[in-house]
Amino acid sequence: MHTSLSSLRTPLRLTVMATLLASLSLPTVALAASDIVISQVYGGGGNSGAVYTNDFIEVFNRGASPVNVNNWSVQYASAAGSSWSVTALPAIDLQPGQYLLVQQAKGAGGTAALPTPDASGSVAMSGTAGKVLLSNSKTAQTGVNPTGASVVDLVGFGTANGFEGNVAPAPSNTLSIARANGGCGDTDDNSSDFATGSVTPRNTASPLNVCGGPVVHQIITSCPASLALAVGNGGSAVLRASDVDGIVNAASLGSPAVAGINLANFSAAGVAGESAMVSLLVAAGVPVGNYPVIVNFSNDQQQSTSCKIDVAVQGLAAISHTIPQIQGSGAASPYANSVQTTEGVVTLKVGTGFFIQDAAGDGDPSTSDGIFVYTGATATTVQPGELVRVTGTVFEYTPSGAKNSYTELKDVTAILTQSAGHSIVPANVTMPNDKLAAVEGMLVRFTQPLTVSQNAYLGARGELSLSAGRREVPTNRYPAGSNEAQALIAANASNLIVLDDGIFVTPPTIPYIGQDGTVRSGDTVSDLTGVVDFGAIGGGGAAYKLQPTQAPQFSRDNPRTGSPELPSGNVKVASANVLNFFTTFTNGSNVFGQTGQGCTLGTSTTKSNCRGADNLAEFVRQRDKIVAELQAIDADVVGLMEIQNNGETAVTYLVEQLNAAIGGVTYAVVPKPAATGTDAIRVAMIYKPAKLGLVGGALSDANAINNRPPMAQTFRAANGEKFSLVVNHLKSKGSCPSSGLDADQNDSQSCWNATRVQQAQRLVGSFVPQVAAAAGDADVLVIGDLNSYGAEDPIQVITGAGFVNELERFVRPSGVPYSYVFGGQSGYLDHALASASLSPQVAGVAEWHVNADEPEVIDYNIDSAKPQDLYNALPYRASDHDPVVVSLDLQPAFRDITAGVAQASSGLTFNRVTQKYTGTFAFTNTGTTAISGPFQVLFGGLPAAVSLANATGSHAGAAYVSVNAASLAPGATASFAVSFTNPSKVTIHYSASIFAGNF
């Protein structure tokens, strides 16, 4: 939930925050409102997969009077550029509601020419990020964000550094950015005024859209540009038309009649906005030829429009080779780079083409019966179930980063439909599977449930990585380079299929989202059916994909849970990575309303060093998720990673907000140590003063090997027992050097491992002994993001020094311990490692899978590239790491158990040889539960002349004997020999006390 600042803050800060929160919806006005505006921008023209061959800029008159644009210009600069290219506008009076189309550079891609442009330039615009301005002058502007009387309108998009208010979203090769309400909307905030959508260039001949006047919607048609059919077979295409405010109620042929080409099965729209449908039928007897067919649609408002379909009836080329023959049994087609004609049933259409499969197949499991037909942006009328004959070039497509290629047909010259109503029976396959190449392009069904192993690219690419069970990082379980690790690497490689959505661009809506607006890693999908594809995947590289032909049905087999319930102890500790919690934002403002601020990295302080929220609105969303997570964990002390290194400012603000959410002053900041490092982020601690007391000040290790110094603090629990907590954030695995020991050694530990090993050695060899000595107590708990999986070298350094890996101890017996999902594999980078003396006092450990299993697209970021905003203030996806929670049952080093045991001693016998009195002593557990050892038996009250000859040592002035039994079960007895010296031969008597633990 959203919370106000704590009452502990100053009134000035409260006032500033309230003002900022109240004004979040108000744009920053950069230019005065104008009648003439930029209404649409498209920079993807001519790119691969583009809709149009040219870039363009569209201008619009949103005013009530004509405006002469003689001497005006549109100008373009790159996203970060300050040099502006000028294209002059024509000397015309732009009428109210009239558009003006400025054509720009042409590329090699694209399929459609623009409508007749009103002005032309040669500027090659970026398809995703740039700046466009409208000027009442032809003089080129200067600077990255021009202003002044000559700048009439400015639109910055993508990652541009010049814009009005806030930057507009990024267009693409298939999407433009267009001003709201057909160009009428103008709030002087690019992010509010512009949205991505279908590319719809308009020129001065387009229908007027007078702002403020009655809106007249036109009939919109949906017709294929062409219909190619095989002679003697016939075929059909479905045509549609709709009108937002009218009912399309008629369709007719507007072209000269052709025998055998007719309209049939017309269905009028039921209500305004619905589509009318009609079938264009081409009879089998229509001879070879090209037939341009015009179809007219009309509505109940006396409006009409038409669409043109080029019908081509062609003779069938002979089949040169079947699909299995083209595929072959090798890694590449034996007919690569040759033109072939083949035939198959259409199994699926996707964004860039369609799949066909040989209905009979060749019976050879090593050759695929299916193949992909790449058509790019060229629309086709083929539909699943149709038998088509295709002529094209056999091509081995190798996506960037792929180790193998994928056979397809491209540069297609003929696609002829022969008949419809065919079906293909899917082939049954299972995972793991290292022979998916043999079914590429084929319709398949996975016979076992598959597990979601990654969802990071669900929003950006519509992808989910699937596998048979969760895939574990090999070095999470086995040492790097071991035979077991190598075997798991190989097993993981064959245990991946990426479920795609058939679109290949950012999906318009997030697919596969289910209950609670999420689909979690660990969820499963059964009876998955679709066509096997191969291509680039999110995060780089390539993989086999499944393009579904039936809607996948997911099961929430990994449900969201509340915070972990652990065996009770007397101290709860948590480790939480808060994913760049910065109170200074990347736009240079901060949470206190100041502007022109920066973050410090080394000796540099700039806003570019900031890593968290981009602005106050994002920060509020981030803050609320993190507060919800920490409040739910309710730990007595929390070690934090990735919090801004700005003194105590960020951590103090977080504590204030956490206390405000709780409704009382519950948490406090552990004062920072002398050194917090030179990175932009640091580690920190917060704690509950009512539960724990600070013993001494915080310590840190400023040795040069630590880019983020570890922080240690000793605490005293309510029962007087002490322990020390050490919070760490070792060197990350990213930004790899190209050579040296810190380069990626290809042993699954990624890069910077040598540095992390040195950091671990420094930690246990120098810093922890310093901490334990200062505390006067050997109980030390090491937590934090160590950027090392469970069996990697740095962790082995720490456990080799006597620390116990508590996640392996408590979590591994019931499943894979993990706190992070990367590359479709799960493992834990976040650790709980206890010293040998503390480990017996660890009652339980758990990871709370509140973050790693959740899709990135539901996080706090306000991102125009997100298809939907599924944000809520619940703790899920507060970070990318799961928190680790530890229950400590801190006990004294020893405790008196005399009352819980029965004592027995034998009579003493004098040995004349040794001159000693000997016997036995025994004690029996009279309780109902086992008592943990070891045990110490203290012999008090011995006469002054008598001594215990076989004493282990002395405690509180009395001799004792150690009994090194691990435990004493109910009813069990422990016994040992005793030997006394008694030179004065006095009567021997004593009072025995039994203790569990060590003196």
Side-chain angles (χ1 to χ4, degrees), residues 472 476-477 790-791 804-814 817 828 832:
E472 184 176 8
N476 200 57
R477 182 188 291 257
V804 178
N805 188 329
E806 302 297 339
L807 286 170
E808 292 294 325
R809 177 184 169 200
F810 285 97
V811 179
R812 175 72 73 183
S814 58
Y828 63 102

Side-chain angles (χ1 to χ4, degrees), residues 49-50 110-111 225-226 349-354 374-381 412 415:
T111 57
S226 61
K349 291 183 71 173
V350 293
T352 58
F354 58 93
Y374 176 75
T375 59
T378 303
T380 64
T381 59
V412 176
I415 304 171

Side-chain angles (χ1 to χ4, degrees), residues 401-455:
K403 297 179 180 179
N404 55 288
S405 61
Y406 181 77
T407 306
E408 64 182 27
L409 291 173
K410 71 165 193 171
D411 299 332
V412 176
T413 58
I415 304 171
L416 297 181
T417 300
Q418 300 179 71
S419 54
H422 302 273
S423 63
I424 296 291
V425 177
N428 289 333
V429 294
T430 60
M431 296 295 289
N433 194 321
D434 60 359
K435 299 186 183 302
L436 288 174
V439 291
E440 67 179 33
M442 287 179 59
L443 184 66
V444 302
R445 171 183 171 268
F446 288 90
T447 58
Q448 89 263 47
L450 296 179
T451 300
V452 177
S453 53
Q454 178 169 272
N455 50 27

